[in-house]
Amino acid sequence: MSAVTLQIDGAIATLTLENAEKYNALTTAMLRDLNTHCDTLEHSNVRAVILTGADEKAFCSGADIIEWAQLTPRDFARHWVRLGHRVFDRIARLPMPVIGALNGHAMGGGLELAACCDLRVMTPRATLALPETGIGIVPGWSGTQRLAQQLPPAVLKEMALAGRRIGSDRALALGLVNEVAEDARAAAHALASEIASRAPDATEVAKTLIAAAYDEDTDAALEALGGWIQAGSSEKSEGVAAFAEKRDPRFGDDA
């Protein structure tokens, strides 16, 4: 069985972390599963994605310490950290909105994974934390970078330097989560349904434009939008036809 499952129900997909015995701690296999599922989602007609955990106590407790603790410092930096970044960036850049259903605690890499989501719903009893300095490491999957765009500097430093947890009320007040609900998955599904009912192309373009405003993949976003416009133009149709027919293109020629 996959360590991360993907279920597609019409226009809504659900990604579920399936490592409940370790509070959904992320392993290399889980990161690779997430990457594979991103391939599927990028080529699908899904309009919204829900990302959640199988365990009721934890959305994700972070990276699997037993796995990464065995790595040499070089392999830790080259493979573990960079793999997580590649996968998390792919999740953040999916064309459709991603909603994090934080059904339990989100710690370390789990909070960094939640930060990749466009929207987040959190249960009242869940907490958020960056505990890495307490075990002699630092946040490695964008905790000091992407979260810096989502939290005030003093709050991020409080979490990363002192290891303090943030509860649901404070997370909501800070704007880190959009909603606090007893059933985070149900609330996330309701939000996903609202998104799925709207124009899919407009939703994708709006997400891309907002990401560019926050300097998230701006270069690719600009070229993707430009390519989208031209790919639907009469110029593209004429250019491709001229290439196939081995003739000079007649741009703007309505005759």
Side-chain angles (χ1 to χ4, degrees), residues 2-6 14-18 24-42 49-53 59-60 62 83-92 94 98 109-110 112-114 116-117 141:
S2 172
V4 182
T5 59
L6 172 63
T14 302
L15 282 167
T16 306
L17 307 179
E18 299 275 3
N24 298 319
L26 292 166
T27 64
T28 300
M30 293 172 76
L31 291 173
R32 289 174 177 161
D33 282 344
L34 282 167
N35 193 55
T36 298
H37 293 322
C38 283
D39 287 335
T40 301
L41 291 167
E42 286 173 352
V49 178
I50 298 168
L51 176 59
T52 191
F59 164 72
C60 176
L83 174 61
H85 267 271
R86 287 196 299 272
V87 175
F88 284 19
D89 285 348
R90 287 200 71 186
I91 294 169
L94 282 171
V98 180
E112 292 167 315
L113 178 61
C116 297
C117 299
W141 288 338

Side-chain angles (χ1 to χ4, degrees), residues 150-152 155-156 159 166-177:
Q150 301 174 3
L151 286 170
V155 176
L156 180 55
M159 297 177 72
I166 286 182
S168 57
D169 288 345
R170 192 177 181 194
L172 183 64
L174 289 166
L176 187 59
V177 299

